[in-house]
Amino acid sequence: MIEQADSNRLGGVIRDVLRPRSDVWRLWTEPEYIRRWFWEASSETDVEFVPEVGQKWRVATPEVSVGGQILDVVPGEKLAFTMRWTGDTHTLEVDVRLLEDPAGGTTIEVSESGFTSMAERNDHVAGWNASLDRMSKLSLDA
């Protein structure tokens, strides 16, 4: 039995990146970039992503996949979607906000809800931090 987490909401993983919001938006919404930062790079990663409300999205390798549906889009500012991992019986909701940083970069805020345990919540915090680390190092030119 899985106990309900004391807080089934991730308060927010926050990351500042020194690049304009338009570049960060591309990293979040273009499959060629999602493939390179969402998890460790794999030549067998398949990404389906169209940033339009109602569209289904998916990131998959032969070993694991995750996907859902786009719930809300404000280009350059907000992206909200559902997320369900291979083998899970529950769906999470993710809200991503891109805020202008006074230093000229972008602050990324990721909030997530629907966790069934604190362990799952903690795994997602670690996962988002690792993904955002890869994203912050990614070149749009390569």
Side-chain angles (χ1 to χ4, degrees):
M1 180 174 145
I2 297 176
E3 294 180 0
Q4 184 69 23
D6 291 337
S7 170
N8 74 345
R9 183 158 188 78
L10 171 66
V13 172
I14 299 171
R15 180 65 46 98
D16 291 323
V17 291
L18 292 175
R19 56 177 67 185
R21 275 195 319 184
S22 60
D23 287 357
V24 176
W25 181 254
R26 289 183 64 199
L27 292 169
W28 272 98
T29 60
E30 294 182 21
E32 66 186 271
Y33 299 121
I34 297 168
R35 178 178 297 107
R36 293 170 34 208
W37 68 261
F38 193 81
W39 50 49
E40 291 295 327
S42 166
S43 60
E44 299 182 59
T45 299
D46 181 44
V47 177
E48 299 168 15
F49 196 95
V50 177
E52 296 174 3
V53 173
Q55 290 291 318
K56 297 207 180 298
W57 68 275
R58 183 172 162 255
V59 179
T61 69
E63 297 80 31
V64 66
S65 68
V66 63
Q69 186 170 18
I70 306 297
L71 301 175
D72 194 12
V73 177
V74 178
E77 295 179 22
K78 178 182 179 180
L79 183 62
F81 51 91
T82 62
M83 172 185 278
R84 182 181 286 196
W85 289 88
T86 305
D88 276 356
T89 58
H90 63 287
T91 301
L92 304 168
E93 288 192 14
V94 179
D95 184 88
V96 178
R97 304 291 174 117
L98 305 180
L99 308 168
E100 287 192 30
D101 178 316
T106 302
T107 298
I108 304 167
E109 293 183 355
V110 180
S111 297
E112 194 170 354
S113 62
F115 301 113
T116 58
S117 71
M118 289 304 289
E120 179 186 32
R121 180 184 180 275
N122 294 341
D123 286 347
H124 281 246
V125 169
W128 283 118
N129 277 315
S131 293
L132 294 175
D133 283 347
R134 285 188 294 275
M135 175 192 277
S136 67
K137 297 172 187 167
L138 191 62
S139 168
L140 290 173
D141 299 326

